[in-house]
Amino acid sequence: MSLGATRRVIFVGNWLAVKIPRLRVLRAAMCANRWEREVSNVWLPVFRWPHVCPVLLADPFGLFVVMPRCKQPVQPSEVEQVHTSQYPDVTSESKPEDHGYLEGRVVALDYGLPLRSMVENERARYQHMASLRGAA
C-alpha cells in the first residue's frame, strides 16, 4: 500500500493499482478520482497522450479508481523529458514517484485535481484545445 496526500493506493498483485480516498480529505480525493476518470475516458481519446496511465475502472462518485500497476522507479530525467515534450500537457505532478513504466513508456500515475474549480478550469482548457483540433 502507498499513501499519498489525498488517496491510498492498494496494489493487487503485479497487475492493478486501486486508488481510494483518505477519509480526512474525502472531498478532495473523490474529486481527484473523478477527474482521473474523466481524463482517461474523455480527454485521452481526444488528445491521445502516450504519457497518461489509463483508468481501467472507476465509479462515477470518485470512491475508487483502478489503473494498471506500473513499474517503478522512474529517473527524474525521464519525467522531465515527458513533461517538456508532450502537448497538450496533462495535469500531473512532475515527481518521479508519480510516474511509472507501462508497456515500455513513462506514464503519469497521478493526474487528479483536488478542487472543483481546478477541474472546471482544466476542462474548459481541454475543450478549447479540442475545438481547435476539430475534435469534441
Side-chain angles (χ1 to χ4, degrees), residues 40-119:
S40 187
N41 292 343
V42 176
W43 303 113
L44 188 54
V46 172
F47 296 113
R48 294 189 174 101
W49 291 304
H51 61 288
V52 173
C53 188
V55 171
L56 301 174
L57 180 67
D59 73 297
F61 307 106
L63 296 174
F64 70 89
V65 165
V66 179
M67 293 179 162
R69 185 170 183 179
C70 297
K71 297 196 184 328
Q72 292 179 299
V74 173
Q75 298 302 314
S77 59
E78 293 174 294
V79 173
E80 185 178 315
Q81 183 179 0
V82 165
H83 280 269
T84 58
S85 66
Q86 300 296 327
Y87 179 83
D89 62 328
V90 69
T91 54
S92 67
E93 298 275 349
S94 58
K95 300 181 293 189
E97 57 269 22
D98 289 336
H99 291 75
Y101 295 101
L102 178 64
E103 300 172 352
R105 66 187 192 281
V106 175
V107 294
L109 305 175
D110 182 6
Y111 48 94
L113 296 174
L115 301 174
R116 193 167 126 201
S117 60
M118 295 169 76
V119 167

